[in-house]
């Protein structure tokens, strides 16, 4: 049932022409992972490698993400990975607010279908979706309760590709997430 729903959302995403991103993109990148994933990771938008393959986080950021997931004791095959925006913005520019808004209903429906306990937004744009006033450089790795879900915003893996000094921060955050998943999340008021 859930798989059929996720597949039908993916088909709608593939056909979506609601903003101009579909004109320059090669294909849509709906997301991938098990329909019953307890953890969902949300990036910003597909990059060049994702645009070609149709799969999220398969380029350099994706390889780093895989390594960070391992630090959390998570295999990529156990988590659902999606993006705020489902088509690649030209030249990897940031998605505009209008593009994020027009794509938002797809992500909301994916989350409702998968019903993950934990959401891990990657980077500032994704984090703002759940925590509007977030300052990602200050609040990364912290635990939030939003709409009955646990939200743990992280620095975007791409940040570590151009600023290596951020990598240890990400490693610590993912290790802490792994600890929460293993031993239980602390209660948050
Ligand atoms: N960066 C993202 O935010 N998402 C991807 O899928 C790839 C790189």
């Amino acid at each position: 049932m859930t798989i059929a729903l996720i597949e039908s959302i993916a088909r709608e995403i593939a056909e979506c022409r609601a903003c101009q991103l579909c004109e320059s993109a090669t294909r849509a990148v709906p997301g991938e992972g098990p329909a019953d994933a307890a953890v969902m990771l949300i990036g910003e938008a597909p990059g060049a490698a994702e645009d070609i393959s149709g799969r999220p986080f398969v380029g350099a950021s994706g390889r780093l993400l895989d390594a960070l997931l391992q630090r959390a004791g998570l295999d990529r095959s156990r988590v659902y990975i999606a993006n705020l925006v489902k088509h690649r913005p030209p030249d990897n520019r940031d998605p505009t607010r209008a593009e994020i808004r027009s794509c938002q209903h797809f992500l909301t429906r994916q989350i409702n279908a998968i019903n993950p306990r934990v959401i891990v937004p990657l980077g500032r744009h994704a984090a703002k979706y759940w925590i509007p006033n977030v300052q990602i450089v200050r609040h990364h790795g912290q635990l939030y309760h939003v709409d009955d879900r646990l939200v743990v915003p992280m620095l975007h893996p791409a940040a570590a590709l151009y600023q290596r000094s951020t990598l240890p921060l990400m490693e610590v955050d993912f290790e802490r997430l792994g600890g929460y998943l293993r031993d239980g999340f602390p209660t948050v008021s």
Side-chain angles (χ1 to χ4, degrees):
M1 175 63 189
T2 308
I3 293 176
L5 182 53
I6 290 169
E7 285 174 355
S8 100
I9 298 169
R11 279 194 298 277
E12 269 187 63
I13 290 170
E15 287 162 15
C16 181
R17 300 289 177 267
C19 76
Q20 77 275 21
L21 292 184
C22 61
E23 289 165 20
S24 50
T26 308
R27 68 189 85 251
V29 182
E32 68 180 17
D36 61 350
V39 179
M40 204 165 163
L41 286 99
I42 312 296
E44 184 178 313
E50 293 77 20
D51 178 66
I52 290 166
S53 67
R55 299 178 55 215
F57 281 99
V58 292
S61 305
R63 286 190 289 280
L64 184 52
L65 180 61
D66 291 350
L68 290 166
L69 285 171
Q70 272 190 3
R71 286 197 174 251
L74 284 169
D75 191 86
R76 183 185 170 104
S77 63
R78 284 178 49 207
V79 299
Y80 198 94
I81 307 180
N83 280 300
L84 280 185
V85 165
K86 313 300 192 192
H87 283 98
R88 180 193 183 200
D91 302 321
N92 291 347
R93 67 160 169 75
D94 284 350
T96 65
R97 279 226 285 257
E99 287 158 355
I100 293 173
R101 223 179 3 253
S102 98
C103 221
Q104 186 164 324
H105 68 106
F106 288 128
L107 182 59
T108 303
R109 288 160 60 202
Q110 287 174 314
I111 292 168
N112 288 344
I114 294 160
N115 195 22
R117 175 156 176 258
V118 181
I119 293 182
V120 180
L122 301 167
R124 175 171 60 99
H125 290 285
K128 280 182 182 291
Y129 187 89
W130 285 273
I131 311 148
N133 296 324
V134 76
Q135 289 175 267
I136 197 67
V137 288
R138 287 184 55 197
H139 300 138
H140 62 88
Q142 292 187 13
L143 177 61
Y144 294 80
H145 276 207
V146 183
D147 298 337
D148 290 333
R149 298 191 205 282
L150 297 159
V151 178
V152 186
M154 300 289 194
L155 293 167
H156 194 290
L161 297 177
Y162 52 84
Q163 200 183 345
R164 212 63 195 168
S165 60
T166 58
L167 183 57
L169 303 176
M170 294 180 199
E171 290 174 342
V172 167
D173 286 347
F174 273 83
E175 279 165 17
R176 191 183 309 117
L177 174 65
Y180 291 158
L181 292 166
R182 236 184 358 261
D183 307 329
F185 282 81
T187 45
V188 183
S189 55

